[in-house]
């Protein structure tokens, strides 16, 4: 079933993707700036790399690109690996490291249908 172009639910989905995209850009820029400073001081590269990944995910979300889902999945897997490396199997210590990235993962995954719709429209328009 397709949603007509002027249907109100269609606009809610589009704005949801845009808002999440801008949130990822904002959070990614903050993490990237702090991460670069931490790298200069000789600290962990995690924050710089995850900030860059989150920033790029936001850019891709704002362009309705499905690659945003795969990229953020890589960031999330890296975060899980980093959390495991930092605190091992201490689950309570992993909670503050994993809750926010996991919430963002769920939100990005919820955008997948809207991103797929735009991808199929882009493919239909190019043929």
């Amino acid at each position: 079933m397709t949603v007509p172009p002027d249907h109100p639910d269609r606009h809610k989905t589009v704005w949801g993707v845009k808002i999440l995209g801008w949130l990822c850009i904002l959070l990614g820029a903050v993490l990237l700036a702090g991460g670069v400073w931490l790298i200069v001081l000789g600290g962990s590269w995690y924050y710089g790399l995850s900030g860059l990944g989150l920033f790029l995910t936001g850019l891709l979300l704002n362009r309705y690109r499905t690659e945003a889902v795969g990229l953020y999945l890589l960031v999330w897997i890296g975060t899980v690996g980093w959390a495991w490396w930092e605190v091992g199997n201490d689950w309570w210590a992993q909670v503050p490291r994993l809750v926010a990235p996991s919430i963002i993962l769920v939100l990005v995954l919820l955008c997948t249908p809207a991103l797929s719709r735009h991808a199929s429209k882009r493919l239909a328009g190019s043929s």
Side-chain angles (χ1 to χ4, degrees):
M1 183 172 127
T2 59
V3 178
D6 57 346
H7 193 273
D9 287 344
R10 181 180 173 89
H11 297 292
K12 288 179 188 172
T13 303
V14 171
W15 279 106
V17 173
K18 283 282 188 188
I19 289 170
L20 182 60
W22 282 109
L23 181 67
C24 287
I25 287 173
L26 180 66
L27 292 174
V30 170
L31 270 178
L32 182 61
V36 167
W37 182 246
L38 196 57
I39 291 169
V40 168
L41 295 176
S44 171
W45 282 57
Y46 165 74
Y47 294 99
L49 292 174
S50 66
L52 179 63
L54 191 57
F55 186 83
L56 293 174
T57 298
L59 289 178
L60 290 170
L61 282 172
N62 279 334
R63 294 181 180 171
Y64 300 102
R65 305 293 301 213
T66 54
E67 293 86 354
V69 177
L71 178 61
Y72 190 72
L73 196 57
L74 286 176
V75 171
W76 186 80
I77 289 170
T79 300
V80 170
W82 166 77
W84 187 266
W85 176 77
E86 281 251 314
V87 296
N89 62 357
D90 181 358
W91 292 104
W92 283 113
Q94 287 188 7
V95 168
R97 291 167 174 81
L98 295 178
V99 168
S102 297
I103 290 172
I104 294 172
L105 176 65
V106 169
L107 294 174
V108 169
L109 290 175
L110 287 173
C111 291
T112 303
L115 296 174
S116 297
R117 260 196 320 267
H118 279 270
S120 62
K121 277 184 5 184
R122 209 173 27 246
L123 288 175
S126 66
S127 60

